[in-house]
Amino acid sequence: QHTKMVLMNYHEMTMNEPRNSPARRQQFSVICAVMAAAFVYSAITSGAFLEVKTTEGPFPGGNFCYKFATRDYAASMGLGRRIAEEWAKGTTTTTTSITKDDESNEILNRKKSVQKRLYNVYLDNPMKMGGTRQRYMTGVLVSDSEKATFCEPLLEKNPKIEEVAAKQRHIPMQEKKVAEVFEETLYQYVDLPSVDSLVVHFPFTNGFLSALIFSYKILPKLRALAVEKGESGNIPVVISHCSIEQEMCTHYAPLVQGKDFLVGQPTTEEHLEALGPETFLDWEHLKGGARKISPKFMKTYIDMLP
């Protein structure tokens, strides 16, 4: 005797009911309640209702091999995943005598090892500028003994990256996809100092809400405290290291030598002054988006727009 499983779509229970029937209204209420509960649960696990409590401790410092990006801070975790994948695939020790499953497992393990060393350095205050202007650096932070293992394989990719950039030079920046920008961005190196910092441990879900909470709750608070409690004239910068396995981020705001973490980049105020006022609609980006989706014969006419 076999057991038959029947699957039923929740909407089928009221598909024959009139639009404004009590059953339809009850169904709508249940769906809204479930969605609201899911949102509240996500907000709680992301730390939306938690206070940003700081302690003082050292930022570890070390060899930082990174890519520089100007994009909404929510994209920084994705850049980290790309760097981890690129390092893992470029440093595998597999041979043709092993199976594809073994090779996949090795790549996965190597990705995990580099993800433990991924850090993001955020230079700006997202409360003062839009996503297209926000600057950050994402890369691996390692000790001197680990530099050859983690940094050199990434830096050795630069000649090939330069070739890709040369081939894509004719494409306007606003038309390039995120993957294309990543492929033509060089790896850079800097020795970050170990300094006294404000430290925050905060829940992390690797989701959209976590990104919003970081950008508009944690980061502005840390920047303000770094100015308030840091040495006179300290430039606020925030460094983050997040663990998906531990569901926790550790954020640092150096109290001294903040300028060293800009690695030659201008301060937020200088950056904004150089860019000029930000408009609600970026016309150049709109034109770039139109060129992406338009047929080839239309691109000439789009370029003629003011």
Side-chain angles (χ1 to χ4, degrees):
Q1 187 176 1
H2 300 284
T3 302
K4 182 181 290 186
M5 181 178 293
V6 178
L7 297 178
M8 179 177 290
N9 188 321
Y10 186 61
H11 293 281
E12 292 179 0
M13 299 174 66
T14 59
M15 62 185 299
N16 295 321
E17 296 283 339
R19 175 176 293 183
N20 295 320
S21 69
R24 281 280 180 107
R25 290 197 296 269
Q26 183 181 23
Q27 182 191 61
F28 178 75
S29 299
V30 169
I31 293 173
C32 290
V34 170
M35 292 176 64
F39 177 80
V40 171
Y41 174 78
S42 180
I44 291 172
T45 56
S46 299
F49 307 110
L50 294 179
E51 183 182 353
V52 179
K53 296 181 179 180
T54 63
T55 58
E56 290 194 19
F59 169 71
N63 301 283
F64 189 50
C65 306
Y66 65 94
K67 285 197 173 193
F68 180 85
T70 303
R71 192 168 291 273
D72 193 292
Y73 284 164
S76 59
M77 298 306 296
L79 177 57
R81 286 191 293 270
R82 279 182 167 273
I83 291 174
E85 184 174 352
E86 192 167 67
W87 180 88
K89 288 183 176 180
T91 57
T92 53
T93 58
T94 54
T95 64
T96 55
S97 61
I98 69 168
T99 65
K100 288 186 177 181
D101 287 340
D102 289 335
E103 184 178 4
S104 298
N105 288 334
E106 182 183 354
I107 291 175
L108 180 61
N109 291 332
R110 295 180 74 78
K111 282 175 65 176
K112 288 181 178 179
S113 71
V114 77
Q115 284 170 348
K116 295 176 181 177
R117 297 165 172 84
L118 282 175
Y119 282 73
N120 297 295
V121 181
Y122 301 97
L123 306 186
D124 299 312
N125 185 351
M127 301 291 286
K128 292 185 176 181
M129 63 182 68
T132 59
R133 298 183 169 199
Q134 297 169 16
R135 302 167 299 162
Y136 64 93
M137 297 172 283
T138 298
V140 293
L141 184 70
V142 295
S143 63
D144 290 340
S145 61
E146 297 174 315
K147 183 180 177 182
T149 301
F150 290 95
C151 276
E152 290 185 7
L154 295 176
L155 295 171
E156 288 171 357
K157 295 181 181 295
N158 280 345
K160 187 174 181 180
I161 292 174
E162 289 176 337
E163 292 178 8
V164 172
K167 292 178 181 178
Q168 297 180 166
R169 191 167 290 137
H170 66 285
I171 305 175
M173 181 58 69
Q174 63 267 26
E175 289 186 34
K176 292 178 181 176
K177 300 176 182 177
V178 175
E180 291 172 336
V181 174
F182 173 84
E183 290 170 357
E184 64 180 45
T185 302
L186 294 173
Y187 282 101
Q188 301 179 62
Y189 165 80
V190 67
D191 186 5
L192 294 179
S194 176
V195 295
D196 292 333
S197 305
L198 295 174
V199 183
V200 172
H201 301 288
F202 211 82
F204 174 67
T205 62
N206 197 28
F208 178 66
L209 270 180
S210 272
L212 286 180
I213 290 168
F214 170 72
S215 292
Y216 299 106
K217 180 176 181 177
I218 301 172
L219 198 154
K221 178 71 176 291
L222 275 176
R223 285 178 60 92
L225 290 174
V227 172
E228 176 187 332
K229 298 185 176 183
E231 67 178 358
S232 177
N234 184 49
I235 295 175
V237 173
V238 174
I239 306 115
S240 297
H241 170 63
C242 298
S243 170
I244 297 175
E245 293 181 354
Q246 298 177 4
E247 298 182 343
M248 187 67 63
C249 283
T250 302
H251 308 289
Y252 303 88
L255 294 171
V256 295
Q257 296 179 247
K259 188 175 182 179
D260 292 346
F261 292 85
L262 294 179
V263 294
Q265 294 291 326
T267 64
T268 294
E269 290 71 25
E270 293 168 342
H271 178 54
L272 285 174
E273 185 177 354
L275 291 175
E278 191 170 13
T279 58
F280 179 71
L281 291 176
D282 191 323
W283 181 238
E284 289 302 318
H285 277 79
L286 287 176
K287 285 171 62 177
R291 281 177 57 88
K292 281 184 185 179
I293 62 175
S294 299
K296 190 173 182 178
F297 74 91
M298 286 290 295
K299 294 184 178 182
T300 302
Y301 297 99
I302 293 173
D303 291 337
M304 294 171 62
L305 294 172

